[in-house]
Amino acid sequence: MKKEKKAVILFSSGLDSTAVLYYALSKGYKCHCLIFDYGQKHDKEIKSAVKIAKLLKADYSVVKVSLPWLKDSLTNKNKKIPVHKTISGIVPSTYVPGRNTLFLSFALSCAQSINAKSIFIGVNSVDFSNYPDCTPAFIKAYNGVLKALKTAIRVKTPIAKMSKAQIIKLGIKLNVPYELTWTCYNGDKSPCGKCDSCKLRAKGFREAGVRDPILKSSEE
Amino acid sequence: MKKEKKAVILFSSGLDSTAVLYYALSKGYKCHCLIFDYGQKHDKEIKSAVKIAKLLKADYSVVKVSLPWLKDSLTNKNKKIPVHKTISGIVPSTYVPGRNTLFLSFALSCAQSINAKSIFIGVNSVDFSNYPDCTPAFIKAYNGVLKALKTAIRVKTPIAKMSKAQIIKLGIKLNVPYELTWTCYNGDKSPCGKCDSCKLRAKGFREAGVRDPILKSSEE
C-alpha cells in the first residue's frame, strides 16, 4: 500500500490559498485545512473557506485566535480599510503583525500531531501587498526553525513566484470554484472593489483575460 | 525623558519563566506577560501566573489557544503524565508539538503591536526535558525569522545556560515568591512530586541548598 501523503494547508478561501489547496490535492496530498478566525472584519471568508473544504470533503479545523493587542485596520473596527494603491516598499495598515508566523506555527503543531510532512501556504511576492511575512526570505527563515526543531516538516509555497493572472489561470485549470472564493477586506455582502485585495484580484482577472464570476453573481 | 524599554514575557508561573520575569523587571523593562491557556491539564499555572502578574502590577494577557489536534500527555485527559526519569536524547510524551514556536509567534504579534523590542523566554538546555523547542539552535533560528521580517525584535534567553539550582539562586536574589510559582504537570491541589517537572524542581532546590516553600505550604 502506498503511504498516504498528508499536508496542512493554510486556507482563507482567497484566490491564492484556494489555488494552493486545489494544487496540493492535484498532487495527491490528503489535505487538512486550517481556517483562522482572528477577528478579521472580513469574517465572511471563514464561511467561504468552510464551504469549499466541505465541497472537497477535505478535513478542516476552524482555529480561533485571540489577539487582543492588535491595532491594524484589518481587525480594528474603528479603523478604515485604506483605498489607496499599494506603494512599493511600504507596509500598509492592513498588515496584521505576526499573522503568517502565527498561522505557520499552528500548522506546525497540527502537522506534527497528524504526521503531515508538508505545510502549504499561498504566499506570493509578485502581486502582493508588501507584507514582510510573504517573502521568500521569511519562508526560508521559517523552514530554518523547522530544521532546528529536527522535524521533517517543510513549508511549501507553490505560487510564490506567480503573478495573480498566472495563479488565476492555474486555478481555472484545477477547477477552482471562483464564485465561492472571498478576497475583499471589507466584510460586506459584495466585494467593495476599492481595497487593495479587491484591486489585486481585479487586476489578476483582467490580465488573465477572464471574467471574475464573483462580480457576475453580485451583479445578478 | 528616558525612553521606556518594553518587553513581552512568556510567563507560565513556573520556576524558569518567573525568574525571567523578575530578571527583566530588574533590568528596567516594562513587562507585558503572556499567559497561555492551551488546554494544559495543569491549568492551575494560569491562576498562579495571573496572581504573580497582579502582585507585580505588570501588564498581562491570558491567551486562549485552541489546538484540537493535540495528542500529547500534557493536554490529553486520556493520557497519563509519565513518571519515568528524563532520558537523554528522548523527547517525552509531555512535549506539546509547536508549543514554544506558537508562544513566540503570539509574543511577536504582541511585541509589534505594543512596540516592544524584546521577547523573554525561560528556555533552558541544562536541566530540561529534552524538548526540541528549548535549545539554543531553535532560538537562533527563531531570531532568524524575526530578522527576515525586518523587525528589531529579538528573543532573549537569560537563563538558557543556567542549571536549575543557579536559576533558583537567581530567583532568590530577585525576591521571587516561590510559594506562588507552579511547576507540576498534574493539576492537583499539591504537586505530585513524581512528574518530570516536579523532579527537576526538587533537584534544583536540593542542589541550591534551599527548601522549596511550596512543599512547606502544601504540608501545612
Side-chain angles (χ1 to χ4, degrees), chain A residues 75-143:
Chain A
T75 59
N76 199 308
K77 282 189 179 133
N78 300 321
K79 285 189 184 166
K80 278 205 166 180
I81 300 284
V83 295
H84 60 72
K85 224 183 132 200
T86 308
I87 303 158
S88 176
I90 302 287
V91 178
S93 74
T94 50
Y95 174 61
V96 181
R99 184 170 55 173
N100 280 345
T101 318
L102 252 174
F103 291 178
L104 287 174
S105 305
F106 275 99
L108 157 66
S109 168
C110 182
Q112 283 201 304
S113 298
I114 68 168
N115 287 320
K117 293 279 176 291
S118 303
I119 297 169
F120 281 89
I121 181 169
V123 290
N124 177 276
S125 52
V126 181
D127 287 327
F128 83 130
S129 298
N130 294 317
Y131 294 159
D133 57 358
C134 291
T135 64
F138 165 70
I139 299 296
K140 192 178 168 193
Y142 201 90
N143 273 326

Side-chain angles (χ1 to χ4, degrees), chain A residues 39-72:
Chain A
Q40 65 269 52
K41 283 187 268 190
H42 57 306
D43 57 359
K44 193 173 172 171
E45 69 174 16
I46 300 166
K47 281 185 191 165
S48 299
V50 169
K51 208 181 274 182
I52 295 170
K54 282 185 174 170
L55 179 76
L56 292 167
K57 296 190 174 72
D59 291 338
Y60 69 91
S61 303
V62 178
V63 182
K64 205 167 163 56
V65 185
S66 159
L67 303 165
W69 45 76
L70 288 182
K71 293 168 189 158
D72 60 274

Side-chain angles (χ1 to χ4, degrees), chain A residues 34 63 65-67 69-71 95 97-98 101-102 105-106 108-110 112-113 132-133 137-138 141-142 144-145 148-149, chain B residues 34 61 63 65-67 69-71 95 97-98 101-102 105-106 108-110 112-113 132-133 137-138 141-142 144-145 148-149:
Chain A
L34 290 192
V63 182
V65 185
S66 159
L67 303 165
W69 45 76
L70 288 182
K71 293 168 189 158
Y95 174 61
T101 318
L102 252 174
S105 305
F106 275 99
L108 157 66
S109 168
C110 182
Q112 283 201 304
S113 298
D133 57 358
F138 165 70
Y142 201 90
V145 169
L149 287 171
Chain B
L34 291 191
S61 303
V63 182
V65 185
S66 160
L67 302 165
W69 44 75
L70 288 183
K71 293 167 190 158
Y95 175 61
T101 319
L102 252 174
S105 304
F106 275 99
L108 156 66
S109 169
C110 181
Q112 282 201 305
S113 297
D133 57 358
F138 165 71
Y142 201 92
V145 169
L149 287 171

